[in-house]
Amino acid sequence: MSPTSSSANANLFAALRAAFPHDLDAIAVETDDGLAYSWRDLDRASAMIANLLVALKLKEGARIAVQVEKSVEAMLLYLATLRAGYVFLPLNTAYQSAEIEYFVTNAEPEVVVCTSRNAPWVGPIAQKAKTRHVFTLDDDRTGTLLEMAAQCSDEHRIAVKKPDDLAAILYTSGTTGRSKGAMLTHRNLLSNAEVLKDYWGWTHGDVLLHALPIFHVHGLFVAIHGALLNGSKMIWFAKFDPKRVIARMPEATVFMGVPTLYVRMLAEPTLTHKQCEDMRLFISGSAPLLIETFTEWQQRTGHTILERYGMSETIMLTSNPYTSVQGARRGGTVGFPLPGVSLRVRDDQGGECATDEIGNIEVSGPNVFAGYWRMPEKTKEEFTADGYFRTGDVGKVDGLGYVTIVGRSKDLIISGGYNVYPAEIEGYINELPGVAESALVGVPHPDFGEVGIAIVVPRAGATLDAEAIVAELKGKLANFKIPKRCFVAEDLPRNTMGKVQKALLRGQYKNLFG
Ligand code: MCA
Ligand code: AMP
């Protein structure tokens, strides 16, 4: 057991802080546009923001909801929230007012932090939900949050937390229905971070290229915890830019991305063996990595991408091996269950599947979340009687123990690493005048892996304009949820039970994007 997990304070921040290097003046984060933050800066600034939160006298377990552009200060706000013992609730920057209203009303955060650009509409939503404090934070180090924090002490005693205390809530639609807040505890986050530190061979001198958004598990937990728990420097990109990431590779050793990031880098002529020769590890996850991408990356760079699999509810579950002693990294598979994770495949009746037999993936372990926020019934449904979480992913385990995901029982589209829940989009389309019904299905896409397209049926006598439907949805929904194409059809194919046969629609449109 590592010294961090045996310490009396189970606060994740205590473990991260304990891993800071002795030389606090060394650089911890360097932004691609030239700013440098030392470890001392991280410590002091997170203490100041934590002291501001403490001064607000929030209730135990208060949620801090944050919808801001990616910046080092946004990460500091996350660290400060942990440090002060509150619950961090990150929100995708693409969310529009209806989406934000749902999350804020559901989570009842005591603090909302948004950009000054969005404050005119986020502020009233927060007030309506009785949020006591609204701050702004912009990606140029301005905003009321930092103005107020600047007046606070830079010394702060890390709040004492128990392992099962909540650290974060991540909204996800899980297997079905409306978005649910997955409650993650300090134990969930720290145990997973410690396992990954060992499993991926994090080592002294590692430098992480951080180019993912920081409102999801991948960029916020896997990447940031990985670097901080190893006392490793991050090269920080506010936005993914393939040319810039490739240009900085000679200064780094680790990169994490969703498949779209790898596809986009492969399109750059500057991606060469030479440019990647100091890199130690390329990790992919959040969506299936095509075998073509896996193979092309090997040929172009000499590196074998390590693919892993996780969820908002569980953080990381499986990983391809890091060392060849553990086995080869196999494209098309997501590797082995991580140490401490128990993974099994069951048929629809709950019976155990044999080796290589396809079934529902169920998991348990210290990384599995504490349940959905204020949805005990829903939580119960998603767990088996013996405590395994039903992932909604369909897969198999081979004779060597490699896990392959072959599909999903949940109706989910993963587009460029973002989740799109058809039921949500269909709900919006069905409310439009003249619409009888609709179906959103995922089809292959060369850049985003998969994208949603809509098939819409008009009411009797109504005429629909596909482009006008898409235009209507823009402004209501986050941009990545907007169907990339819309088709008007006379009806939807149904089976004898009356259920829409989405597989048929997927087949019909599978070559739409080449
Ligand atoms: C942007 N667009 C998209 C997406 N992103 N469309 C579909 N899917 C997307 N993911 C559209 C916009 O709507 C816009 O369309 C146009 O592309 C340009 O938008 P822009 O914002 O400029 O796009 P971008 O900056 O090029 O973004 C692409 C991206 C981004 C870099 C691939 O989507 C991204 O950062 N994805 C990573 C997501 C991620 O971190 N997932 C981890 C989840 P228009 O012009 O028509 O308006 S964590 C997770 O899943 C688990 C637990 C795990 O295992 O890790
Ligand atoms: P989220 O709800 O954002 O946590 O997304 C979790 C889902 O992403 C999982 O249930 C999987 O369906 C999918 N996912 C994550 N990593 C992978 C991967 N490497 N391959 C295939 N699907 C993945």
Side-chain angles (χ1 to χ4, degrees):
M1 181 173 277
S2 73
T4 48
S5 49
S6 62
S7 73
N9 188 357
N11 190 322
L12 164 66
F13 183 80
L16 300 178
R17 176 64 188 83
F20 280 19
H22 289 300
D23 179 9
L24 288 179
D25 293 316
I27 293 180
V29 186
E30 192 181 311
T31 66
D32 189 45
D33 50 7
L35 295 175
Y37 297 72
S38 67
W39 293 94
R40 194 184 306 283
D41 292 335
L42 298 196
D43 192 32
R44 289 184 53 220
S46 64
M48 290 161 91
I49 303 172
N51 280 325
L52 169 62
L53 297 177
V54 170
L56 301 176
K57 301 206 183 322
L58 310 174
K59 286 199 224 69
E60 178 75 28
R63 276 80 57 208
I64 317 289
V66 179
Q67 192 202 25
V68 297
E69 296 298 334
K70 182 176 176 184
S71 67
V72 178
E73 287 67 27
M75 175 182 75
L76 289 167
L77 172 57
Y78 166 58
L79 297 178
T81 304
L82 291 175
R83 193 172 180 150
Y86 297 117
V87 181
F88 193 69
L89 197 170
L91 294 166
N92 192 319
T93 43
Y95 290 149
Q96 304 288 317
S97 58
E99 291 154 318
I100 295 294
E101 180 157 12
Y102 173 75
F103 297 124
V104 170
T105 309
N106 190 257
E108 295 180 345
E110 282 195 56
V111 178
V112 167
V113 184
C114 63
T115 60
S116 52
R117 183 164 49 86
N118 290 351
W121 59 267
V122 174
I125 290 173
Q127 271 140 23
K128 207 170 124 200
K130 301 204 168 50
T131 295
R132 285 166 51 209
H133 309 278
V134 178
F135 295 102
T136 58
L137 175 63
D138 291 321
D139 54 4
D140 58 357
R141 305 187 304 290
T142 61
T144 56
L145 182 90
L146 297 180
E147 280 164 26
M148 303 274 289
Q151 294 160 35
C152 296
S153 161
D154 62 1
E155 281 178 28
H156 171 268
R157 227 185 136 98
I158 302 170
V160 175
K161 289 278 128 184
K162 295 193 284 300
D164 290 330
D165 285 340
L166 283 194
I169 297 181
L170 261 64
Y171 274 85
T172 163
S173 286
T175 51
T176 49
R178 281 230 81 159
S179 220
K180 300 179 277 288
M183 301 189 288
L184 294 163
T185 65
H186 286 267
R187 186 208 309 274
N188 294 151
L189 297 174
L190 179 55
S191 64
N192 207 243
E194 286 178 333
V195 164
L196 295 177
K197 179 175 184 311
D198 287 345
Y199 205 78
W200 290 343
W202 279 94
T203 180
H204 183 71
D206 265 335
V207 174
L208 175 75
L209 289 167
H210 194 304
L212 285 163
I214 57 167
F215 39 70
H216 280 310
V217 161
H218 202 160
L220 182 64
F221 299 149
V222 188
I224 290 178
H225 295 170
L228 294 185
L229 201 58
N230 194 50
S232 273
K233 179 170 121 176
M234 286 185 258
I235 299 179
W236 187 266
F237 297 84
K239 211 172 176 310
F240 172 68
D241 173 343
K243 289 189 176 58
R244 291 299 311 154
V245 170
I246 294 168
R248 303 292 305 257
M249 273 181 192
E251 300 160 69
T253 61
V254 182
F255 176 79
M256 297 184 192
V258 300
T260 301
L261 273 49
Y262 287 97
V263 169
R264 290 189 181 182
M265 286 194 282
L266 280 168
E268 297 296 330
T270 51
L271 183 78
T272 58
H273 264 252
K274 175 106 186 69
Q275 197 65 10
C276 301
E277 70 188 356
D278 294 329
M279 290 292 291
R280 178 175 73 79
L281 185 56
F282 288 97
I283 298 169
S284 175
S286 310
L289 180 74
L290 291 181
I291 193 74
E292 292 83 353
T293 313
F294 176 85
T295 311
E296 204 186 331
W297 191 269
Q298 237 168 4
Q299 287 160 356
R300 280 281 293 283
T301 69
H303 286 273
T304 306
I305 296 175
L306 178 154
E307 184 170 5
R308 67 14 169 223
Y309 154 59
M311 295 183 72
S312 300
E313 289 94 333
T314 63
I315 330 166
M316 293 301 101
L317 287 166
T318 73
S319 169
N320 264 280
Y322 173 62
T323 65
S324 51
V325 178
Q326 295 163 297
R329 291 182 204 158
R330 296 208 169 171
T333 83
V334 292
F336 306 124
L338 285 165
V341 173
S342 173
L343 181 147
R344 68 190 190 191
V345 183
R346 293 277 153 128
D347 62 27
D348 288 342
Q349 286 68 47
E352 206 165 319
C353 289
T355 300
D356 281 325
E357 197 186 330
I358 293 170
N360 303 305
I361 298 179
E362 300 177 352
V363 293
S364 75
N367 52 314
V368 175
F369 74 136
Y372 294 113
W373 171 252
R374 289 181 182 161
M375 289 187 182
E377 286 308 312
K378 196 74 220 170
T379 303
K380 221 166 125 194
E381 274 171 34
E382 305 289 359
F383 281 87
T384 62
D386 60 347
Y388 276 71
F389 174 61
R390 303 180 213 270
T391 62
D393 291 309
V394 174
K396 59 181 184 179
V397 182
D398 73 10
L400 293 172
Y402 286 88
V403 178
T404 302
I405 298 172
V406 299
R408 302 170 202 129
S409 61
K410 53 193 174 190
D411 195 8
L412 163 69
I413 298 166
I414 304 184
S415 183
Y418 287 142
N419 290 2
V420 179
Y421 292 92
E424 183 192 8
I425 321 303
E426 288 159 5
Y428 279 94
I429 298 176
N430 296 347
E431 278 174 13
L432 297 175
V435 173
E437 61 174 351
S438 62
L440 192 87
V441 293
V443 297
H445 188 273
D447 184 30
F448 295 121
E450 189 180 24
V451 293
I453 62 159
I455 296 93
V456 186
V457 178
R459 278 183 198 283
T463 310
L464 291 176
D465 175 352
E467 278 176 28
I469 292 174
V470 172
E472 274 290 326
L473 296 176
K474 286 187 178 170
K476 283 191 183 154
L477 289 167
N479 56 10
F480 63 89
K481 296 182 190 172
I482 306 295
K484 292 280 184 252
R485 293 283 294 278
C486 179
F487 299 93
V488 177
E490 274 174 25
D491 51 25
L492 298 174
R494 290 182 186 278
N495 63 15
T496 47
M497 310 290 286
K499 200 168 177 299
V500 176
Q501 290 176 295
K502 289 200 168 176
L504 282 185
L505 291 171
R506 277 193 288 270
Q508 187 182 339
Y509 292 100
K510 70 174 193 287
N511 294 324
L512 195 60
F513 297 98

